[in-house]
Amino acid sequence: MVISKTSQRMITRRMLQFVPVVFCVAFIAFIMLSLAPGDPAELLAGEFPTEERIQEIREYYGFDRPILVQFADWFGSALTGDLSESLLSREPVMDIIISRFPYTLLMVTYAMVIATVIGIPLGIAAAAKPGTWIDTVASGISSFGVAVPYFWVGMVLVAVFALHWSVFPATGMPDPTEDLGGALYAATLPSIALAMSGIAEITRQMRAGMIEVLTSQYVRTLRAKGLSPNKVLFRHGLRNVGITVITVITLVFNRKIGATVVLETVFAIPGIGSTMVHSAVNKDYVVVQGIILVMAMVVITVNLIADILYAIIDPRVEVET
Amino acid sequence: MTLAAETPVVKKTERAPTRTGWLMRQPRAVASMCFLLFLAFIALSAPWLAPYDPTKPDFGALLQGPSAAHWLGTDDLGRDILSRLMHGAGPSLVSAFASVALGMAIGVPVGLLAGFLGGWTDTVISRVLDALLSFPTILFAVGIAGILGPSMTTGLIALGVLFSPQFARLVRARTLVVRQELYVDAARAFGASTSRILIRHVLPNAIQSAIVHAGLLLAIALLAESSLSFLGFGVQPPHTSWGAMLARAYAYMESAPYLMFPPGIAILLTALSFNGLGETTRVLLDPQSPKA
């Protein structure tokens, strides 16, 4: 595929922006959590610590240095993949994240597939026949999906399909890197709950995008030339909503990453989200910082890929700077 | 099969002479407003209206189903669910409104400055906004609320900070357009100061999109607050919120599965009403959206 000069320039500019954003993300994550009240060293020293013990811990973790020095040190190591170690378990934060990420990624991907498989056809059908029953159903599903508390949906699903009928497990998930089939099976209920807002968002955006294409001048011309409605819909309509699809999938992905926190807790899945909750409760802020940084990086990278895809699909696109 | 392009996408209704008249003919808008007003009334008068003390345990009536004495049953400590639901309405609504208001209070001035000053200020602000937008909302809020100490206030501050870049971006984009307008040039030619131009001319134009966005964010804020309270990072006992009630329901899911329905449905209906209202605001204030 040939990428035009404009697109290339845009991609380069977008890549260059990546660097300062990553720096800002790291800085915000580090500073905000360092503002926490209380001395982490005292916290770590346990009950009735001696002054020497606290000082020892301070020096071990470098808490006694100025905050900007601490940040520079942390960020410098982070760039090499070292996110320091957990205050509680002494386990390297990067190892924790790598071992937990597959659970979260599996859930998010599964939910994305569910949302796309339901949302895209539903949105197209609604756009093809606006004002009919299918359009009403689609808009009903959209309204419901964005308003329903997804973790409540998760609870209802557990009550019905796990506790009442025992079709799916209520909690837990095998390690996806070892037992992918079993993990997928266990991830079904949480992923359905996680997909709720995604289905809504994708349906709504697809409908709007398709209607914009279908009411455009050139589609009118194609129809006048005698092309069948289905050909117009699938050949020309779909091709031209590519941008919409990427935008909405990116958006939905970003939201899902955050939403897993609650669902992993409901379903007792040992992913990034439940690790976050556990670390936050226990004030293990080195882990909290590490997770926030890595997850924000995931989101930034997904957005970057989306922007590059825009530039390739449609060279006219000027990504807002 | 009719051609999609010829089918009117927007059902053209006769535009009512007044906005109020138009509004009254929108069933969803009317229903949403009535429900929210009703809820606000419940929240304000819960101390007098609620049949029981929401915090007082009754060990003679643990985990009961709906009955004449307890319309929605009782929880694991024998507390009346209906009373707790009524008392939980306040914190849930206040958190949603306060976090969106905070996001707006931070985001609007920042966006205004970035858009109006341009140059380096804009570049720096824009990168910080990009960074804030990349934090997964609830993940970040849990981190902040956990480390700073869980309370309703830290929860809503975290949410407000995360909502602010959305407002800042919108307002910035509007400001970029508005500052090119002739009337802004005219004001400057007449010797108006920058702050006067910003507040009197640019702000009123740019804020409209922010208000529309606020309407659409309320439901998201409500769900986010419920998630935080569910995880124990939001409203703390003895106060209650719907999210916290769901957390208790979760603990007793096997023995008393009906407990999850009152708070869940309350959140759902409120979020639906927020969106109904938000959608109406959007249609009313956004000149480009079809009045359908």
Side-chain angles (χ1 to χ4, degrees):
Chain A
M1 189 185 279
V2 185
I3 301 173
S4 72
K5 271 269 162 57
T6 355
S7 305
Q8 281 177 11
R9 248 200 316 264
M10 209 217 74
I11 292 172
T12 321
R13 203 175 59 201
R14 197 60 189 70
M15 299 268 242
L16 286 176
Q17 277 177 16
F18 186 72
V19 181
V21 173
V22 170
F23 182 81
C24 285
V25 161
F27 190 72
I28 296 171
F30 191 87
I31 292 297
M32 289 205 86
L33 295 176
S34 302
L35 298 176
D39 186 344
E42 273 176 44
L43 196 78
L44 287 174
E47 275 178 83
F48 312 114
T50 59
E51 194 49 47
E52 293 92 76
R53 175 83 186 117
I54 295 176
Q55 193 55 36
E56 204 179 85
I57 293 172
R58 255 183 220 134
E59 275 165 29
Y60 180 81
Y61 283 100
F63 293 142
D64 49 351
R65 297 169 303 164
I67 186 96
L68 287 179
V69 175
Q70 285 187 46
F71 169 69
D73 187 37
W74 177 75
F75 188 52
S77 315
L79 291 177
T80 65
D82 172 15
L83 286 170
S84 186
E85 53 191 37
S86 160
L87 297 178
L88 294 177
S89 66
R90 287 275 176 99
E91 208 183 332
V93 175
M94 204 55 170
D95 290 0
I96 299 179
I97 294 177
I98 288 173
S99 66
R100 302 306 179 87
F101 192 60
Y103 295 91
T104 304
L105 186 65
L106 184 82
M107 260 175 71
V108 173
T109 317
Y110 198 168
M112 293 290 296
V113 171
I114 295 173
T116 316
V117 165
I118 296 177
I120 290 188
L122 198 59
I124 294 174
K129 295 178 179 176
T132 59
W133 66 271
I134 186 113
D135 194 15
T136 314
V137 168
S139 87
I141 290 178
S142 302
S143 306
F144 178 79
V146 288
V148 72
Y150 50 88
F151 54 100
W152 178 66
V153 173
M155 287 166 66
V156 174
L157 289 174
V158 168
V160 176
F161 294 103
L163 301 179
H164 189 68
W165 279 325
S166 317
V167 189
F168 290 101
T171 53
M173 192 206 278
D175 190 339
T177 53
E178 282 162 16
D179 178 11
L180 186 60
L184 275 172
Y185 181 63
T188 305
L189 294 184
S191 302
I192 293 173
L194 192 58
M196 295 311 285
S197 65
I199 296 172
E201 199 70 32
I202 293 179
T203 307
R204 207 170 55 81
Q205 302 266 8
M206 273 308 283
R207 181 185 180 276
M210 277 306 260
I211 279 181
E212 204 187 314
V213 175
L214 292 178
T215 50
S216 65
Q217 292 290 330
Y218 74 87
V219 165
R220 190 165 288 243
T221 313
L222 289 172
R223 276 297 290 148
K225 281 166 68 183
L227 221 62
S228 78
N230 281 334
K231 259 196 177 150
V232 169
L233 189 64
F234 289 105
R235 192 169 295 172
H236 298 274
L238 272 185
R239 186 178 299 173
N240 284 290
V241 291
I243 295 269
T244 314
V245 174
I246 300 174
T247 311
V248 67
I249 287 185
T250 315
L251 184 87
V252 168
F253 180 85
N254 294 352
R255 296 228 176 111
K256 299 257 169 290
I257 287 274
T260 53
V261 182
V262 197
L263 280 172
E264 283 178 10
T265 307
V266 170
F267 287 90
I269 293 169
I272 295 284
S274 45
T275 311
M276 182 67 164
V277 172
H278 179 253
S279 309
V281 169
N282 293 302
K283 305 210 181 284
D284 189 347
Y285 77 80
V286 176
V287 177
V288 170
Q289 275 167 345
I291 291 181
I292 287 182
L293 177 67
V294 172
M295 288 298 116
M297 290 287 301
V298 170
V299 171
I300 297 173
T301 314
V302 169
N303 289 343
L304 179 71
I305 295 171
D307 280 352
I308 292 174
L309 285 178
Y310 288 151
I312 295 173
I313 290 184
D314 189 347
R316 291 167 306 172
V317 172
E318 269 288 319
V319 173
E320 192 208 347
T321 53
Chain B
M1 183 185 173
T2 54
L3 174 61
E6 283 168 4
T7 319
V9 174
V10 174
K11 270 182 255 158
K12 290 262 186 297
T13 44
E14 275 302 309
R15 182 78 199 275
T18 58
R19 280 182 170 182
T20 330
W22 173 82
L23 204 61
M24 283 304 135
R25 281 195 263 150
Q26 307 296 310
R28 190 170 170 201
V30 174
S32 301
M33 269 188 303
C34 289
F35 182 77
L36 290 173
L37 285 176
F38 169 71
L39 208 59
F41 171 72
I42 294 278
L44 287 173
S45 53
W48 301 279
L49 228 56
Y52 294 89
D53 180 344
T55 52
K56 203 172 138 230
D58 176 0
F59 297 106
L62 303 183
L63 294 173
Q64 283 185 351
S67 64
H70 300 280
W71 289 2
L72 295 176
T74 56
D75 71 1
D76 53 303
L77 295 176
R79 297 176 299 190
D80 182 51
I81 296 287
L82 180 64
S83 305
R84 291 181 67 72
L85 206 58
M86 291 164 87
H87 279 269
S92 302
L93 289 179
V94 167
S95 308
F97 275 106
S99 57
V100 173
L102 180 67
M104 215 166 152
I106 305 172
V108 171
V110 169
L112 213 54
L113 281 178
F116 199 77
L117 297 177
W120 267 103
T121 324
D122 184 26
T123 310
V124 172
I125 291 180
S126 291
R127 290 300 83 77
V128 174
L129 295 180
D130 285 348
L132 277 174
L133 281 170
S134 355
F135 292 121
T137 312
I138 298 175
L139 198 73
F140 190 77
V142 163
I144 297 286
I147 302 284
L148 295 186
S151 77
M152 185 173 141
T153 320
T154 44
L156 71 87
I157 289 176
L159 290 179
V161 168
L162 287 170
F163 290 151
S164 64
Q166 303 185 15
F167 288 105
R169 273 226 178 154
L170 270 175
V171 169
R172 174 183 170 271
R174 281 298 299 156
T175 309
L176 286 179
V177 177
V178 173
R179 76 167 181 184
Q180 312 280 345
E181 300 279 357
L182 270 177
Y183 63 82
V184 173
D185 280 346
R188 194 176 291 126
F190 278 115
S193 66
T194 305
S195 59
R196 189 183 158 83
I197 292 177
L198 272 177
I199 292 167
R200 295 299 296 273
H201 300 285
V202 182
L203 182 65
N205 275 286
I207 205 159
Q208 205 146 326
S209 47
I211 292 175
V212 170
H213 190 65
L216 300 173
L217 257 184
L218 279 175
I220 294 178
L222 178 74
L223 294 188
E225 192 284 323
S226 310
S227 312
L228 285 180
S229 290
F230 177 80
L231 294 171
F233 293 109
V235 177
Q236 299 296 314
H239 298 289
T240 189
S241 79
W242 297 338
M245 286 177 75
L246 275 178
R248 287 208 93 90
Y250 174 69
Y252 293 89
M253 210 155 66
E254 266 179 271
S255 47
Y258 54 84
L259 278 181
M260 70 175 83
F261 289 101
I265 291 168
I267 298 172
L268 172 63
L269 289 180
T270 311
L272 276 175
S273 304
F274 276 152
N275 281 339
L277 202 68
E279 199 53 35
T280 314
T281 324
R282 187 179 66 80
V283 176
L284 273 178
L285 290 184
D286 185 356
Q288 270 162 7
S289 75
K291 307 265 186 298

